[in-house]
Amino acid sequence: QLQLQESGSGLVKPSQTLSLTCAVSGGSISSGGYSWSWIRQPPGKGLEWIGYIYHSGSTYYNPSLKSRVTISVDRSKNQFSLKLSSVTAADTAVYYCAREVAMEYYFDYWGQGTLVTVSS
Amino acid sequence: QSVLTQPPSVSGAPGQRVTISCTGSSSNIGAGYDVHWYQQLPGTAPKLLIYGNSNRPSGVPDRFSGSKSGTSASLAITGLQAEDEADYYCQSYDSSLSVFGTGTKVTVL
Protein backbone atom coordinates (compact mmCIF):
# COMPACT_ATOMS: atom_id res chain seq x y z
CA GLN A 1 0.00 0.00 0.00
CA LEU A 2 1.48 3.29 -1.10
CA GLN A 3 1.91 5.89 1.65
CA LEU A 4 2.91 9.55 1.48
CA GLN A 5 4.08 11.58 4.47
CA GLU A 6 4.72 15.31 4.51
CA SER A 7 7.28 16.92 6.80
CA GLY A 8 8.77 20.35 7.24
CA SER A 9 8.52 23.58 9.13
CA GLY A 10 5.07 24.39 10.46
CA LEU A 11 5.84 28.07 11.01
CA VAL A 12 7.46 30.36 8.45
CA LYS A 13 8.09 34.09 8.70
CA PRO A 14 6.75 36.43 6.03
CA SER A 15 9.10 36.89 3.05
CA GLN A 16 10.96 33.68 3.86
CA THR A 17 10.88 30.34 2.02
CA LEU A 18 8.51 27.50 2.89
CA SER A 19 10.13 24.07 2.56
CA LEU A 20 8.33 20.74 2.71
CA THR A 21 9.25 17.16 1.88
CA CYS A 22 7.04 14.23 0.97
CA ALA A 23 8.41 10.79 1.75
CA VAL A 24 6.97 7.98 -0.36
CA SER A 25 6.84 4.41 0.91
CA GLY A 26 5.36 1.23 -0.47
CA GLY A 27 6.31 2.13 -4.04
CA SER A 28 8.99 3.81 -6.11
CA ILE A 29 8.81 7.48 -6.99
CA SER A 30 10.58 6.56 -10.22
CA SER A 31 7.72 4.38 -11.44
CA GLY A 32 6.45 5.40 -14.83
CA GLY A 33 2.91 6.54 -15.34
CA TYR A 34 2.68 8.87 -12.37
CA SER A 35 3.48 12.41 -11.36
CA TRP A 36 3.93 13.72 -7.85
CA SER A 37 1.99 16.80 -6.83
CA TRP A 38 1.62 19.38 -4.14
CA ILE A 39 -1.84 20.70 -3.30
CA ARG A 40 -2.81 23.17 -0.60
CA GLN A 41 -5.94 24.14 1.31
CA PRO A 42 -6.19 27.40 3.27
CA PRO A 43 -8.11 27.03 6.54
CA GLY A 44 -11.81 26.70 5.83
CA LYS A 45 -11.33 27.01 2.08
CA GLY A 46 -11.02 24.82 -1.00
CA LEU A 47 -8.19 22.97 -2.69
CA GLU A 48 -5.54 24.56 -4.92
CA TRP A 49 -3.12 22.58 -7.07
CA ILE A 50 0.43 23.94 -6.77
CA GLY A 51 2.39 21.82 -9.23
CA TYR A 52 3.89 18.46 -10.02
CA ILE A 53 7.10 16.70 -10.89
CA TYR A 54 6.95 13.87 -13.37
CA HIS A 55 8.78 10.58 -12.91
CA SER A 56 11.13 11.83 -15.62
CA GLY A 57 11.96 14.93 -13.57
CA SER A 58 10.03 17.45 -15.63
CA THR A 59 7.92 19.91 -13.67
CA TYR A 60 4.82 21.98 -14.19
CA TYR A 61 3.52 24.68 -11.89
CA ASN A 62 0.28 26.55 -11.37
CA PRO A 63 0.79 29.84 -13.25
CA SER A 64 -0.51 31.77 -10.26
CA LEU A 65 2.43 30.51 -8.17
CA LYS A 66 5.01 29.71 -10.82
CA SER A 67 7.40 32.55 -10.01
CA ARG A 68 7.76 31.36 -6.41
CA VAL A 69 7.56 27.56 -6.63
CA THR A 70 10.20 24.87 -7.05
CA ILE A 71 9.45 21.15 -6.88
CA SER A 72 12.35 18.71 -6.89
CA VAL A 73 12.88 14.98 -6.42
CA ASP A 74 15.45 12.93 -4.51
CA ARG A 75 15.25 9.46 -6.00
CA SER A 76 17.83 8.03 -3.60
CA LYS A 77 15.52 8.85 -0.68
CA ASN A 78 12.30 8.19 -2.60
CA GLN A 79 10.96 11.63 -1.78
CA PHE A 80 10.06 14.91 -3.42
CA SER A 81 10.08 18.45 -2.11
CA LEU A 82 8.36 21.81 -2.35
CA LYS A 83 9.89 25.24 -1.93
CA LEU A 84 7.70 28.34 -1.97
CA SER A 85 9.54 31.63 -1.69
CA SER A 86 8.51 35.08 -0.51
CA VAL A 87 5.60 33.76 1.52
CA THR A 88 2.82 35.92 2.95
CA ALA A 89 -0.09 35.22 5.26
CA ALA A 90 -2.07 34.17 2.18
CA ASP A 91 0.19 31.12 1.91
CA THR A 92 -1.02 29.79 5.28
CA ALA A 93 -2.61 26.45 4.49
CA VAL A 94 -2.58 22.71 4.94
CA TYR A 95 -0.17 21.39 2.32
CA TYR A 96 -0.78 17.93 0.86
CA CYS A 97 1.42 15.81 -1.33
CA ALA A 98 -0.34 13.42 -3.68
CA ARG A 99 0.28 10.97 -6.50
CA GLU A 100 -1.38 11.81 -9.81
CA VAL A 101 -2.12 9.20 -12.43
CA ALA A 102 -0.41 10.66 -15.47
CA MET A 103 -2.56 11.52 -18.48
CA GLU A 104 -5.71 10.79 -16.46
CA TYR A 105 -5.16 13.71 -14.11
CA TYR A 106 -6.61 12.35 -10.87
CA PHE A 107 -4.99 11.97 -7.47
CA ASP A 108 -5.22 8.44 -6.13
CA TYR A 109 -3.01 8.67 -3.04
CA TRP A 110 -2.67 11.58 -0.64
CA GLY A 111 -0.52 12.37 2.35
CA GLN A 112 -2.21 13.32 5.60
CA GLY A 113 -1.30 16.98 5.13
CA THR A 114 0.74 19.41 7.17
CA LEU A 115 -0.32 22.86 8.36
CA VAL A 116 2.06 25.68 7.52
CA THR A 117 1.42 29.01 9.17
CA VAL A 118 3.03 32.20 7.89
CA SER A 119 3.47 34.60 10.76
CA SER A 120 6.12 36.76 12.35
CA GLN B 1 -10.00 31.09 -8.09
CA SER B 2 -11.94 27.87 -8.74
CA VAL B 3 -13.15 27.45 -12.30
CA LEU B 4 -15.49 24.62 -11.34
CA THR B 5 -18.63 25.71 -9.48
CA GLN B 6 -20.42 23.56 -6.89
CA PRO B 7 -23.32 24.36 -4.55
CA PRO B 8 -21.98 25.35 -1.12
CA SER B 9 -24.16 22.83 0.67
CA VAL B 10 -26.68 20.05 0.23
CA SER B 11 -28.53 18.08 2.86
CA GLY B 12 -30.72 15.04 3.19
CA ALA B 13 -32.19 12.61 5.66
CA PRO B 14 -30.67 9.17 6.16
CA GLY B 15 -31.63 6.90 3.30
CA GLN B 16 -32.37 9.72 0.88
CA ARG B 17 -30.64 10.51 -2.39
CA VAL B 18 -28.65 13.71 -2.83
CA THR B 19 -26.83 15.06 -5.85
CA ILE B 20 -23.97 17.52 -6.15
CA SER B 21 -23.41 19.44 -9.38
CA CYS B 22 -20.09 20.60 -10.78
CA THR B 23 -20.36 23.25 -13.47
CA GLY B 24 -17.41 24.02 -15.70
CA SER B 25 -16.86 25.47 -19.16
CA SER B 26 -15.67 24.72 -22.65
CA SER B 27 -12.03 24.88 -21.54
CA ASN B 28 -12.28 22.11 -18.95
CA ILE B 29 -15.21 19.69 -18.66
CA GLY B 30 -16.63 20.78 -22.00
CA ALA B 31 -13.27 20.20 -23.67
CA GLY B 32 -13.61 16.51 -22.93
CA TYR B 33 -11.52 16.27 -19.80
CA ASP B 34 -12.70 13.76 -17.23
CA VAL B 35 -14.17 14.76 -13.88
CA HIS B 36 -13.07 13.19 -10.62
CA TRP B 37 -14.60 13.45 -7.17
CA TYR B 38 -13.08 13.48 -3.68
CA GLN B 39 -14.56 13.10 -0.22
CA GLN B 40 -12.96 15.02 2.63
CA LEU B 41 -14.06 13.98 6.11
CA PRO B 42 -13.48 16.58 8.85
CA GLY B 43 -9.80 17.01 9.68
CA THR B 44 -8.59 14.50 7.10
CA ALA B 45 -7.05 14.50 3.65
CA PRO B 46 -9.25 14.22 0.56
CA LYS B 47 -9.97 10.68 -0.59
CA LEU B 48 -10.59 9.68 -4.20
CA LEU B 49 -14.25 8.78 -4.58
CA ILE B 50 -14.90 8.71 -8.34
CA TYR B 51 -12.41 8.87 -11.22
CA GLY B 52 -12.92 9.13 -14.94
CA ASN B 53 -16.44 10.57 -14.50
CA SER B 54 -18.07 7.41 -13.22
CA ASN B 55 -15.55 4.87 -11.97
CA ARG B 56 -15.26 3.88 -8.34
CA PRO B 57 -11.92 2.87 -6.82
CA SER B 58 -11.85 -0.41 -4.95
CA GLY B 59 -13.54 -0.06 -1.58
CA VAL B 60 -15.85 2.82 -2.44
CA PRO B 61 -19.49 1.80 -1.88
CA ASP B 62 -21.74 1.65 -4.91
CA ARG B 63 -23.98 4.23 -3.19
CA PHE B 64 -21.69 6.77 -4.82
CA SER B 65 -22.04 7.34 -8.55
CA GLY B 66 -20.84 9.97 -11.01
CA SER B 67 -21.90 11.24 -14.38
CA LYS B 68 -20.87 13.89 -16.88
CA SER B 69 -22.73 15.74 -19.61
CA GLY B 70 -21.61 18.71 -21.64
CA THR B 71 -19.88 21.24 -19.39
CA SER B 72 -21.17 19.74 -16.13
CA ALA B 73 -20.86 16.70 -13.95
CA SER B 74 -22.76 15.28 -11.01
CA LEU B 75 -22.10 13.13 -7.99
CA ALA B 76 -25.03 11.18 -6.54
CA ILE B 77 -25.20 9.59 -3.13
CA THR B 78 -28.06 7.14 -2.69
CA GLY B 79 -29.09 5.70 0.65
CA LEU B 80 -27.42 8.58 2.49
CA GLN B 81 -25.67 7.55 5.70
CA ALA B 82 -24.40 9.50 8.68
CA GLU B 83 -20.78 8.76 7.73
CA ASP B 84 -21.30 10.48 4.38
CA GLU B 85 -21.32 13.87 6.12
CA ALA B 86 -18.26 15.51 4.61
CA ASP B 87 -17.01 18.00 2.05
CA TYR B 88 -16.98 16.88 -1.57
CA TYR B 89 -14.84 18.32 -4.36
CA CYS B 90 -14.90 17.80 -8.09
CA GLN B 91 -11.68 18.08 -10.10
CA SER B 92 -10.81 18.31 -13.77
CA TYR B 93 -8.17 19.72 -16.10
CA ASP B 94 -7.97 23.16 -17.67
CA SER B 95 -5.21 24.91 -19.60
CA SER B 96 -2.56 22.42 -18.53
CA LEU B 97 -3.35 22.48 -14.85
CA SER B 98 -5.55 20.55 -12.47
CA VAL B 99 -8.50 22.52 -11.17
CA PHE B 100 -10.81 21.82 -8.26
CA GLY B 101 -14.40 22.73 -7.63
CA THR B 102 -15.49 25.14 -4.93
CA GLY B 103 -16.56 22.30 -2.68
CA THR B 104 -19.90 21.15 -1.27
CA LYS B 105 -20.69 20.34 2.33
CA VAL B 106 -23.09 17.43 2.68
CA THR B 107 -25.12 17.42 5.87
CA VAL B 108 -27.08 14.38 7.02
CA LEU B 109 -30.17 15.61 8.82
Side-chain angles (χ1 to χ4, degrees):
Chain A
Q1 177 79 343
L2 192 76
Q3 291 187 319
L4 292 81
Q5 178 68 58
E6 304 89 349
S7 62
S9 176
L11 179 63
V12 183
K13 289 182 168 52
S15 81
Q16 293 191 340
T17 297
L18 176 161
S19 295
L20 296 174
T21 295
C22 180
V24 179
S25 58
S28 173
I29 203 167
S30 298
S31 297
Y34 303 103
S35 60
W36 304 89
S37 284
W38 287 96
I39 295 159
R40 69 180 183 179
Q41 184 173 35
K45 296 188 178 181
L47 300 162
E48 179 183 31
W49 177 76
I50 298 170
Y52 70 63
I53 187 163
Y54 217 27
H55 67 91
S56 62
S58 60
T59 55
Y60 196 84
Y61 305 134
N62 190 322
S64 68
L65 298 168
K66 184 177 181 179
S67 63
R68 299 193 290 130
V69 173
T70 302
I71 297 176
S72 60
V73 65
D74 185 337
R75 299 182 193 285
S76 66
K77 295 182 178 179
N78 213 38
Q79 64 187 33
F80 62 108
S81 300
L82 168 71
K83 290 189 185 299
L84 181 66
S85 64
S86 305
V87 298
T88 69
D91 295 309
T92 294
V94 175
Y95 285 76
Y96 297 101
C97 57
R99 187 180 81 168
E100 179 180 8
V101 179
M103 303 310 294
E104 298 198 36
Y105 312 118
Y106 64 86
F107 305 97
D108 60 348
Y109 287 93
W110 296 65
Q112 66 184 29
T114 187
L115 174 63
V116 178
T117 301
V118 179
S119 174
S120 56
Chain B
Q1 69 288 358
S2 299
V3 298
L4 304 179
T5 302
Q6 301 177 231
S9 64
V10 299
S11 61
Q16 284 191 330
R17 179 179 187 269
V18 297
T19 61
I20 301 169
S21 61
C22 175
T23 302
S25 68
S26 58
S27 65
N28 42 68
I29 299 174
Y33 292 112
D34 286 343
V35 178
H36 321 291
W37 292 90
Y38 301 86
Q39 177 192 60
Q40 187 175 34
L41 297 170
T44 69
K47 167 193 167 185
L48 181 65
L49 199 62
I50 297 286
Y51 68 94
N53 305 317
S54 59
N55 301 293
R56 286 186 306 276
S58 174
V60 173
D62 60 6
R63 303 184 291 104
F64 296 92
S65 62
S67 64
K68 171 191 162 184
S69 178
T71 58
S72 296
S74 291
L75 173 71
I77 310 173
T78 57
L80 194 63
Q81 298 184 6
E83 59 260 37
D84 299 333
E85 190 158 288
D87 293 326
Y88 293 81
Y89 293 91
C90 61
Q91 179 241 325
S92 188
Y93 199 68
D94 188 319
S95 305
S96 303
L97 71 160
S98 290
V99 290
F100 289 93
T102 50
T104 298
K105 181 174 181 58
V106 170
T107 300
V108 181
L109 301 173

